Amino acid sequence: MIFARQVFISYAHLDNQPLGADQTGWVSLFHSTLQTLLSQRLGSVADIWRDDKLHGNDDFSNEILDQLAGTAVFVSILTPRYLKSEWCKKEILSFCQQAEDRHSLMVGNKARIIKVLKLPVEEGSDLPPVVGRLLGYDFYEVDEERVPHELDPAYGDRPRQAFLRKANKLAWDLAAQLTELQRPSPASAETNEAPAEKPAVFLAECSRDRREARDSIASELACCGFRVLPEARLPDDEDEYLATVGALLETCVLSIHLVGTGYGRVPDGDRQQSVVVLQNELAAARSRSHGLRRVIWLPGGIASAQSAQQAFLHALQTDAALQHGADVVSGDLETAKSAIHTALKPPAPPPAEVPAGAGRVHLVCDANDRKAIVPLIKRLRGRGLEVSLPVFVGDAAQVRETNRQLALDCDAILLYYGAGDEAWKYHQQNDLRKLLGSPRARPLKASLTLLAEPPGDDKEILQALAEPDVLDALDGIGDTTLAPLFAALGLSETP
C-alpha cells in the first residue's frame, strides 16, 4: 500500500501544556522522542505529523482531511480532555471512515490505529468500536494511593526511564507495522516471496507488578520477528474470555506466564478467578493435549499479601498439573528471557537410530552422587546399555534445556535417590511427570526410582511400600535389584 505520510498524531492541545514554564509539553516530547526512535528503527527519517494550531470554533479543515486520507497509521493520545474534544473525535472518526471506505482499516491482524493512554479514560460510544478493542500503550502509572500519573520526565528519573521504555516499544511496533503496510502486494511484487513469518507466542496477561517485565519481553520478541499475542483487548465476560484465549493458544508454539504478587483482573463470570489463573489453566490443558511448550517465571521466595494470589502461588509450586509442559524459572528477568529464547529454538534433529538390542538409560541424580553412581554406571554399561547423566554446570537456561533433551532422548529414566533430600526428589519427579506429556523421539519404556544410601525416613517408607516402580538398593545394587529395568528394556535378569 502507498501512503503520503507515515504517522498522524491526534491529541487535545490542553494535554500539551507544560507543567512548568521551562519545560516541554508532554505531546511535543512524545512526538520528538517517537520521531527519533522510529527513525532509528526504520533506518530512515520517519514522517510524523501533528497539527499544532489551536482551532477554537474553526471548521474541520481540508488540510486535516488531506493529511488523514494519506496517513498509514493514526496515533490517538487518549485523555479525559480528548474524549470531550469535538475536534479530536472528528479526527479519529474521519480517519476510520476513510480507511473503511478503502477496506483498509484492518490490514492483516493489525488495526491502523494506535491507542496511547496518557491518562486512564472511560471510553464511550463516541469513539469508533475498534478503539475499544485495542490493547493500547499505557503512558501512566498508578501510585500506592491509586492516583494515576502520566509518565513525564518532569516527575523524576524513574518516570523518565519508564517513558523511554514505553516509547521504545511503541517505536518497534510502529516500525514493524509500517514495514508491513509499505510492502508491495503479492500481485504487484516482482521479487521473491517474503521470508516465512516466525510463529506466534502467547504472552499471558499479568498483574501490575509484572507489566514492565512483560513490555520488555514483548519488545524483544517482536524485534526477533515473533508475533506476540494477544494483540487486542481480551473480553471482560468470562465465557468469552476463555473461548478467545483458547483460540489464541491454538495458534501459538509457546506460552509465557509472568507470575507476580497481584491477583490480576477478574472477568465477569461464575468462577471469579483472575486472568492469570485462567490463562495458566488453559495453557496447561493445551500442553497436555497438543504439547504446547510453556515458560513460567516464578521468582524464588515470591509471596503475596492478597489471599487469593497467595493460594495460587502455593498451588502453582505444589501441583504438577498446573506446571504441565512448563519450564519454571525462578531467577531474574534475564534468566526468564534466556529460558524463553531457548524454548523458541527449533527442535534438535532426531537422534540416530539405536542399534537393535541396545538401549539408553538416563540417570537422574544429585551432583553429590556423581562418585557413588560409578558402580551403577559400570553395571549398566556391562549389559550393553548407554548411560547419560545430568548436566550441572553452565548457563541456567541451557542446563535446563540440555537436561530436558537428555530425558526425552532415552529408553528409560532411573532416578537415583541418594544424596538428594525429599524436596529434591519431589521436584525431580515433578519435572519428570511434566516431561511425560512432551513429544519424544523414542518411546519411554520405564521410569523408575532407585533407593540408595544414605538411609532416611522417607526412603524407609518407600522401602516398606515396595511399589513396582521403586528399586531398593539401600543394601547394595545387584542384577536382581535392576531386574525391572532390564525387563522393561528387553534384557534378561542376568547376562
Side-chain angles (χ1 to χ4, degrees):
M1 302 176 70
I2 300 175
F3 298 97
R5 189 168 299 283
Q6 291 177 320
V7 180
F8 179 102
I9 296 178
S10 175
Y11 69 105
H13 287 273
L14 179 65
D15 295 316
N16 196 34
Q17 292 185 1
L19 297 179
D22 59 341
Q23 295 170 340
T24 303
W26 192 93
V27 177
S28 296
L29 177 63
F30 171 85
H31 184 164
S32 62
T33 303
L34 183 61
Q35 176 84 42
T36 300
L37 292 174
L38 182 57
S39 297
Q40 293 172 348
R41 275 92 187 118
L42 290 172
S44 58
V45 178
D47 186 6
I48 303 177
W49 190 86
R50 68 182 169 91
D51 184 18
D52 57 4
K53 301 175 184 175
L54 291 173
H55 300 285
N57 295 321
D58 293 346
D59 292 332
F60 196 53
S61 69
N62 289 332
E63 180 188 9
I64 298 292
L65 285 171
D66 292 341
Q67 294 292 342
L68 293 175
T71 295
V73 179
F74 183 96
V75 175
S76 177
I77 300 178
L78 294 186
T79 63
R81 175 57 187 165
Y82 191 98
L83 299 186
K84 294 179 181 178
S85 168
E86 293 301 321
W87 188 278
C88 293
K89 287 186 286 187
K90 283 181 181 179
E91 287 180 345
I92 194 169
L93 288 168
S94 177
F95 177 83
C96 289
Q97 183 62 56
Q98 293 187 68
E100 287 173 347
D101 289 345
R102 294 170 173 80
H103 307 289
S104 64
L105 181 57
M106 298 293 298
V107 177
N109 56 338
K110 293 282 189 180
R112 287 171 51 206
I113 294 179
I114 286 181
K115 180 170 65 175
V116 170
L117 292 156
K118 180 175 181 281
L119 289 170
V121 297
E122 293 184 7
E123 298 170 23
S125 58
D126 290 343
L127 295 180
V130 67
V131 178
R133 297 193 296 268
L134 298 175
L135 281 176
Y137 296 79
D138 295 348
F139 274 79
Y140 69 88
E141 58 187 6
V142 181
D143 63 20
E144 296 80 2
E145 298 179 355
R146 310 288 296 176
V147 177
H149 301 275
E150 55 266 75
L151 297 177
D152 192 325
Y155 287 128
D157 188 58
R158 184 178 177 277
R160 180 186 68 82
Q161 293 180 13
F163 173 88
L164 292 174
R165 279 194 297 269
K166 287 283 186 179
N168 179 58
K169 183 179 188 307
L170 173 55
W172 275 116
D173 293 349
L174 252 178
Q177 188 170 5
L178 289 170
T179 300
E180 183 64 28
L181 286 172
Q182 294 166 351
R183 179 175 293 147
S185 62
S188 62
E190 299 179 357
T191 58
N192 295 331
E193 293 184 4
E197 292 186 359
K198 288 188 177 181
V201 176
F202 186 83
L203 183 53
E205 290 185 285
C206 58
S207 54
R208 182 180 293 112
D209 60 317
R210 289 290 178 264
R211 287 179 186 169
E212 187 175 304
R214 186 182 186 278
D215 287 345
S216 177
I217 291 172
S219 295
E220 193 163 314
L221 290 173
C223 293
C224 294
F226 292 97
R227 181 182 172 195
V228 181
L229 301 178
E231 295 172 314
R233 191 175 187 277
L234 296 175
D236 294 320
D237 176 80
E238 183 182 277
D239 292 337
E240 294 178 9
Y241 186 90
L242 294 171
T244 301
V245 172
L248 291 175
L249 288 170
E250 291 177 5
T251 69
C252 295
V253 297
L254 177 71
S255 69
I256 304 166
H257 306 262
L258 312 178
V259 183
T261 58
Y263 193 55
R265 74 180 180 97
V266 177
D268 184 17
D270 296 333
R271 295 178 60 175
Q272 288 299 291
Q273 291 181 315
S274 79
V275 296
V276 179
V277 175
L278 295 175
Q279 288 169 122
N280 184 73
E281 178 184 296
L282 290 168
R286 180 69 184 175
S287 181
R288 281 190 292 272
S289 63
H290 291 80
L292 175 69
R293 294 197 65 182
R294 304 202 297 142
V295 172
I296 299 175
W297 185 30
L298 186 67
I302 187 173
S304 174
Q306 302 174 17
S307 58
Q309 180 64 2
Q310 184 58 39
F312 174 63
L313 290 173
H314 176 73
L316 192 58
Q317 295 175 79
T318 57
D319 188 346
L322 297 181
Q323 295 184 9
H324 191 92
D327 182 6
V328 181
V329 184
S330 60
D332 59 12
L333 177 58
E334 293 307 313
T335 303
K337 286 182 178 180
S338 179
I340 291 167
H341 287 292
T342 299
L344 286 169
K345 289 181 179 177
E353 186 174 347
V354 181
R360 184 176 299 165
V361 177
H362 181 54
L363 190 56
V364 179
C365 64
D366 184 85
N368 294 319
D369 285 316
R370 283 181 284 192
K371 291 183 178 180
I373 61 175
V374 171
L376 173 61
I377 295 173
K378 290 181 177 179
R379 185 175 291 274
L380 294 174
R381 287 179 176 173
R383 299 303 309 274
L385 297 171
E386 297 180 32
V387 181
S388 61
L389 299 175
V391 175
F392 295 103
V393 179
D395 175 78
Q398 292 179 348
V399 166
R400 279 193 301 273
E401 180 59 19
T402 300
N403 287 333
R404 178 179 179 276
Q405 290 298 331
L406 287 170
L408 290 175
D409 184 24
C410 65
D411 300 292
I413 295 175
L414 187 59
L415 176 62
Y416 187 93
Y417 186 13
D421 58 17
E422 290 182 51
W424 174 88
K425 183 202 70 171
Y426 168 81
H427 286 294
Q428 296 300 321
Q429 290 179 329
N430 190 28
D431 288 342
L432 293 175
R433 278 194 295 269
K434 289 186 289 184
L435 278 173
L436 292 177
S438 301
R440 300 180 59 86
R442 51 209 291 164
L444 184 67
K445 298 178 181 178
S447 180
L448 305 169
T449 298
L450 186 143
L451 305 180
E453 293 185 340
D457 293 341
D458 182 52
K459 293 175 185 177
E460 290 180 7
I461 293 174
L462 293 174
Q463 188 181 43
L465 291 173
E467 294 179 344
D469 61 345
V470 177
L471 310 182
D472 183 5
L474 286 171
D475 295 326
I477 299 175
D479 286 337
T480 302
T481 305
L482 299 173
L485 174 64
F486 294 152
L489 295 174
L491 301 175
S492 61
E493 183 174 327
T494 57

